[in-house]
């Protein structure tokens, strides 16, 4: 069971909403691209772990007193397993403990970061009087990742060996009270907010309008079916009410303010009666008549 799961920060939620509607600056583009690639790798590992036994946590930050971030923690058989997931692709070699790609891009501190996080996790357990073994591994989850010269470092696991990790954690395992208490402690000490993230808000008036398909991410779904569903060009059949609610929430995030019925109609192209029903049912109304705005409840 997962007792803590990844939650996308406000910064990346905003960039996700901006995607395809306006061109972000280079910093935001790079940050979002790296985040999505990392998230896809972690999601793949999370899917595998979901079938395994033990107490599991996805994306935990602990202060000891330095702040360390842990992609995955698994409590099993009185051992705290720590997995850092990397979604690298292409050929790499290890040079002076640094991972160097075939294009000579150097990923600094991959191993030293793992060692530092391992040390801080051990300190955390000692501080709270918990006598558990700590095991830390780097998971290279991408099937397209190749390490030239093979894997010699005991803390490195490549995609071809990931399934062995899944087989280790028996899905019938029942955690004892000590393990459950450690899980609760880790959740209580988790610091979820990143104080270093800063959001640059883009001009809402210049955003591309339209409903977004959650499957292909394309903007511009039109109501051709005229029923309870929408159909995207990618072939996905989508529930109209659900997509409309998500779209309204996205408009509010991008605008950073309440919306009127007319604004949503202009943005989505949907019937005014359908829009009004969704706003009244799911959002908080402020004001009356043409001045009425809707906000998140």
């Amino acid at each position: 069971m997962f007792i803590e799961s990844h939650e996308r920060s406000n910064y990346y939620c905003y960039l996700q909403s901006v995607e395809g509607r306006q061109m972000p600056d280079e910093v935001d583009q790079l940050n979002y691209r790296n985040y999505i690639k990392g998230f896809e790798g972690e999601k793949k590992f999370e899917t595998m772990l979901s079938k395994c036994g033990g107490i599991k946590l996805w994306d935990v930050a602990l202060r000891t007193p330095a702040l360390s971030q842990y992609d995955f923690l698994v409590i099993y058989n009185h051992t705290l397993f720590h997995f850092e997931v990397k979604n690298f692709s292409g050929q790499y070699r290890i040079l002076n403990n640094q991972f160097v790609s075939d294009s000579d891009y150097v990923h600094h501190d991959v191993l030293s970061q793992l060692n530092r996080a391992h040390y801080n996790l051990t300190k955390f357990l000692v501080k709270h009087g918990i006598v558990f073994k700590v095991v830390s591994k780097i998971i290279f989850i991408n099937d397209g990742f190749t390490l030239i010269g093979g894997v010699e470092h005991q803390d490195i696991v490549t995609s071809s060996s990931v399934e062995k990790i899944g087989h280790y954690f028996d899905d019938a395992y029942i955690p004892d009270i000590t393990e459950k208490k450690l899980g609760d402690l880790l959740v209580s000490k988790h610091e979820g907010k990143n104080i270093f993230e800063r959001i640059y808000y883009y001009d809402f008036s210049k955003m591309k309008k339209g409903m977004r398909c959650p499957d292909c991410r394309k903007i511009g779904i039109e109501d051709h079916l005229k029923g309870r569903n929408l159909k995207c060009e990618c072939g996905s059949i989508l529930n109209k009410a659900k997509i409309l609610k998500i779209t309204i929430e996205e408009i509010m995030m991008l605008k950073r303010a309440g919306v009127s019925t007319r604004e949503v109609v202009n943005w989505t192209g949907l019937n005014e009666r359908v829009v009004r029903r969704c706003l009244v049912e799911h959002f908080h109304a402020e004001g009356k008549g043409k001045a009425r705005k809707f906000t998140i409840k």
Side-chain angles (χ1 to χ4, degrees), residues 244 261 264-265 268 270-279:
L244 176 56
T261 303
V264 178
V265 169
T268 63
L270 295 179
N271 180 275
E272 182 174 339
R273 180 172 54 84
V274 173
V275 170
R276 186 181 298 110
R277 182 169 62 242
C278 181
L279 287 168

Side-chain angles (χ1 to χ4, degrees), residues 36-275:
I36 291 298
K37 185 173 184 179
F39 174 80
E40 289 172 348
E42 291 180 20
K43 185 62 180 177
K44 184 177 180 180
F45 190 68
E46 184 265 348
T47 300
M48 186 209 73
L49 273 186
S50 65
K51 305 170 186 176
C52 302
I55 299 173
K56 295 159 287 190
L57 301 91
W58 177 15
D59 191 11
V60 175
L62 302 172
R63 190 172 296 280
T64 58
L67 190 66
S68 294
Q69 189 271 338
Y70 301 90
D71 289 346
F72 290 91
L73 297 174
V74 180
I75 304 168
Y76 185 91
N77 197 22
H78 281 228
T79 300
L80 181 55
F81 293 87
H82 159 222
F83 300 109
E84 289 298 305
V85 178
K86 302 297 181 185
N87 197 15
F88 294 179
S89 59
Q91 290 188 333
Y92 281 79
R93 64 187 187 277
I94 298 178
L95 182 64
N96 297 326
N97 270 346
Q98 309 296 337
F99 284 80
V100 183
S101 71
D102 52 4
S103 59
D104 287 331
Y105 181 84
V106 180
H107 290 269
H108 294 286
D109 298 330
V110 174
L111 290 172
S112 61
Q113 183 182 26
L114 180 77
N115 293 333
R116 184 168 57 251
H118 177 93
Y119 173 73
N120 288 336
L121 194 56
T122 303
K123 281 178 56 181
F124 177 88
L125 295 185
V126 171
K127 177 182 177 181
H128 293 281
I130 299 171
V131 185
F132 275 36
K133 181 181 178 181
V134 178
V135 174
S136 297
K137 302 285 184 182
I138 298 176
I139 309 294
F140 289 96
I141 196 74
N142 197 310
D143 293 334
F145 172 82
T146 303
L147 192 58
I148 299 173
V151 179
E152 298 180 357
H153 201 291
Q154 63 178 1
D155 295 333
I156 295 175
V157 179
T158 57
S159 61
S160 61
S161 301
V162 168
E163 288 299 324
K164 295 179 182 178
I165 293 176
H167 294 154
Y168 177 82
F169 300 109
D170 184 357
D171 61 358
Y173 181 78
I174 300 176
D176 65 21
I177 188 65
T178 306
E179 293 171 321
K180 291 178 181 178
K181 285 183 177 180
L182 174 56
D184 293 340
L185 176 65
L186 291 168
V187 171
S188 70
K189 297 298 182 180
H190 168 53
E191 296 190 15
K193 186 175 181 180
N194 188 339
I195 62 174
F196 298 106
E197 285 185 349
R198 295 290 184 271
I199 301 176
Y200 172 79
Y201 292 101
Y202 296 93
D203 189 345
F204 176 74
S205 66
K206 296 179 180 179
M207 297 284 179
K208 180 180 179 180
K209 299 177 181 179
M211 294 181 289
R212 187 195 302 275
C213 174
D215 296 327
C216 71
R217 302 286 298 161
K218 183 176 180 180
I219 296 169
I221 304 174
E222 297 182 2
D223 189 16
H224 295 301
L225 300 181
K226 302 298 181 182
R228 293 185 176 183
N229 295 322
L230 300 166
K231 184 175 182 180
C232 179
E233 290 180 2
C234 71
S236 294
I237 303 297
L238 309 164
N239 180 271
K240 183 189 295 184
K242 182 178 179 180
I243 294 300
L244 176 56
K245 181 176 181 292
I246 292 172
T247 301
I248 293 171
E249 291 170 345
E250 189 170 83
I251 297 171
M252 291 177 178
M253 176 175 289
L254 294 169
K255 187 182 178 185
R256 293 187 294 145
V259 298
S260 67
T261 303
R262 177 51 50 189
E263 283 178 312
V264 178
V265 169
N266 290 339
W267 188 277
T268 63
L270 295 179
N271 180 275
E272 182 174 339
R273 180 172 54 84
V274 173
V275 170

